[in-house]
Amino acid sequence: MATDLHDTIFMAKQERHKNLFLNYKNLNIFPVELLKDEGLQFLERLYMKRNSLTTLPDNLAQKLPNLIELYLHSNNIVIIPEAIGNLARLQSLDLSSNALQLLCPEIGRLRSLRHLRLSNNQLKCLPPEIGDLQELETLDVSMNQLMSLPDRLHRCLSLQNLTADHNLLSHVPRQLCWLHRLNQLSMAANRLTFLPLDLGRSRELQFVFVDNNMDLKGLPSYLYNKVIGCSGCGVSSPVLDGEQAEQPGEALSEALVRLPAEVKAVGSQTDSVVPLEELTMRTLHRIYHHRPTDFNLLPPITLPKSLLDLLQFPLGHCHRCSQAMFTIIYPKLFPLRDTALAGVHRRTTVSFVAYCCSSHCLQTFDLQG
């Protein structure tokens, strides 16, 4: 095996190969032949799947400076050195099925990175610096132990596919709704109880999978015309045959469980007056949001930080008229079993929820219109 490995690397150096396949080589350490002398300056793709590597060398970027793709699927890698951030040209990094418990902040220096696969590891958190990956298109963090996603993830403006299945996530950051290139979001088998009001508002987002979140009972009405997966949702307390079905008020209360802390009131059809605080926030939003300048450079406003954050990222937008909402919502429930999708989604008791900005929009909203 050692002779075969030596010959493979020697030939790659002699013939200036751009691709090197070292899969299934039973490697415990990174081959020193790859790092000798000037290394492989011309190598662009390195495949080292299904070995027994536990770490990477600190001088990897120095010896393999032109790497574009690095595939390390199914090893025993516990830690990634900080020097990983020096791979300036790297576009694809696959660290799936390893033993990672921590991801170094230097991952955010991979400014050319487009595809990052971290599934089936032991990660409990992700560094905020992931938000610095402006070119990132694919992020797979499924089958980890994540309890939250970084707030700065919304800065990955090129992100198209986000997979976070089989984690411990209890909520989805509403900032993700500002990822206007996001096409597919998969968060199946987590602990979700509530979804952002604006999820699905972006026309680009077409596929949303939240299957097997047992306590999730409400889906934003924006998702009605999307391809969704919600099997196994809302089944934590199923209604058995012969039992009395839930009353509308009870179903709405369950769909709104664990509302964001910013929601200070839930309006109804009989509430004809919008609270003053909400009207003030809407006015400030109109004044500041449409100015052609960075929000951070705006004049200071005497408001708590939480409300300032709301000005930048509203709680949601009215599903009827698109008015930004900040402290109050007017919800309207549409049980999935009563919609045209009932035949497609059977093992679920979820409802679509329209979040409106006033009693007028609440009364006039039509899910299919």
Side-chain angles (χ1 to χ4, degrees):
M1 180 69 72
T3 301
D4 177 54
L5 177 65
H6 176 80
D7 292 345
T8 300
I9 296 176
F10 178 78
M11 184 175 295
K13 286 186 176 182
Q14 289 295 108
E15 300 182 4
R16 303 177 68 84
H17 290 177
K18 291 187 177 181
N19 303 322
L20 181 58
F21 296 87
L22 298 178
N23 302 322
Y24 299 94
K25 296 294 185 181
N26 199 29
L27 299 173
N28 295 311
I29 60 173
F30 203 85
V32 293
E33 291 88 350
L34 286 176
L35 309 173
K36 285 182 178 179
D37 304 322
E38 294 183 357
L40 279 75
Q41 302 286 319
F42 38 83
L43 193 67
E44 294 183 352
R45 296 171 184 85
L46 178 58
Y47 300 81
M48 301 186 73
K49 297 180 181 180
R50 297 197 178 276
N51 285 288
S52 300
L53 301 175
T54 58
T55 188
L56 298 176
D58 289 330
N59 60 345
L60 182 63
Q62 179 184 351
K63 298 299 182 179
L64 307 176
N66 291 307
L67 270 187
I68 295 176
E69 300 175 8
L70 179 58
Y71 299 96
L72 297 164
H73 185 287
S74 299
N75 279 276
N76 297 318
I77 298 173
V78 176
I79 190 169
I80 297 295
E82 296 177 359
I84 191 75
N86 295 329
L87 290 169
R89 297 190 61 198
L90 195 66
Q91 296 182 16
S92 184
L93 176 60
D94 188 349
L95 287 163
S96 303
S97 298
N98 278 278
L100 290 174
Q101 298 183 18
L102 190 67
L103 199 61
C104 62
E106 285 72 19
I107 199 80
R109 291 167 51 200
L110 298 174
R111 300 304 171 87
S112 299
L113 198 64
R114 294 184 178 182
H115 308 285
L116 178 58
R117 295 177 173 88
L118 300 166
S119 65
N120 196 21
N121 278 281
Q122 301 169 29
L123 296 169
K124 296 183 178 180
C125 64
L126 298 175
E129 287 78 7
I130 277 189
D132 297 333
L133 301 176
Q134 297 289 307
E135 301 299 321
L136 192 66
E137 298 175 3
T138 303
L139 176 60
D140 185 353
V141 293
S142 56
M143 291 184 286
N144 279 282
Q145 301 169 27
L146 300 175
M147 301 185 69
S148 64
L149 295 175
D151 289 338
R152 284 165 54 182
L153 192 58
H154 71 275
R155 297 185 184 180
C156 299
L157 299 179
S158 300
L159 195 61
Q160 299 175 19
N161 192 325
L162 173 58
T163 305
D165 302 333
H166 294 276
N167 279 282
L168 305 174
L169 300 171
S170 60
H171 72 285
V172 182
R174 70 173 181 272
Q175 291 87 344
L176 290 188
C177 299
W178 271 258
L179 290 172
H180 296 301
R181 295 186 182 179
L182 190 65
N183 177 256
Q184 179 169 311
L185 174 65
S186 187
M187 303 188 75
N190 277 279
R191 298 178 178 178
L192 300 178
T193 59
F194 189 83
L195 295 177
L197 280 60
D198 274 353
L199 189 64
R201 184 170 183 253
S202 167
R203 293 183 179 180
E204 194 65 30
L205 183 60
Q206 292 295 319
F207 305 91
V208 177
F209 304 105
V210 290
D211 306 81
N212 297 317
N213 283 278
M214 295 178 59
D215 294 319
L216 180 63
K217 298 180 182 295
L219 305 177
S221 67
Y222 286 128
L223 298 179
Y224 182 69
N225 292 315
K226 311 287 185 176
V227 177
I228 61 173
C230 58
S231 176
C233 291
V235 297
S236 58
S237 55
V239 177
L240 302 177
D241 292 339
E243 288 188 2
Q244 186 176 1
E246 287 181 315
Q247 296 300 312
E250 296 175 358
L252 181 59
S253 296
E254 288 200 355
L256 299 178
V257 69
R258 297 194 180 178
L259 282 168
E262 293 85 356
V263 178
K264 296 185 177 181
V266 176
S268 67
Q269 294 188 19
T270 60
D271 297 331
S272 58
V273 179
V274 177
L276 180 59
E277 181 181 22
E278 177 71 15
L279 292 175
T280 302
M281 292 296 293
R282 293 180 187 182
T283 301
L284 287 172
H285 183 262
R286 282 194 293 269
I287 293 173
Y288 288 94
H289 181 69
H290 299 292
R291 287 192 177 188
T293 182
D294 189 314
F295 188 88
N296 294 322
L297 300 180
L298 295 174
I301 310 172
T302 308
L303 286 175
K305 182 180 183 302
S306 59
L307 292 183
L308 285 173
D309 291 340
L310 268 178
L311 279 180
Q312 187 173 10
F313 298 107
L315 189 63
H317 292 78
C318 178
H319 293 198
R320 172 70 174 82
C321 72
S322 294
Q323 166 67 54
M325 300 180 292
F326 301 91
T327 62
I328 186 171
I329 57 172
Y330 295 77
K332 189 173 185 178
L333 198 71
F334 299 88
L336 187 148
R337 64 175 180 270
D338 296 336
T339 71
L341 299 180
V344 180
H345 304 282
R346 297 181 178 178
R347 199 175 68 87
T348 182
T349 60
V350 299
S351 299
F352 291 102
V353 184
Y355 298 99
C356 300
C357 67
S358 66
S359 58
H360 172 74
C361 285
L362 178 64
Q363 295 170 21
T364 56
F365 180 87
D366 182 3
L367 183 65
Q368 303 181 53

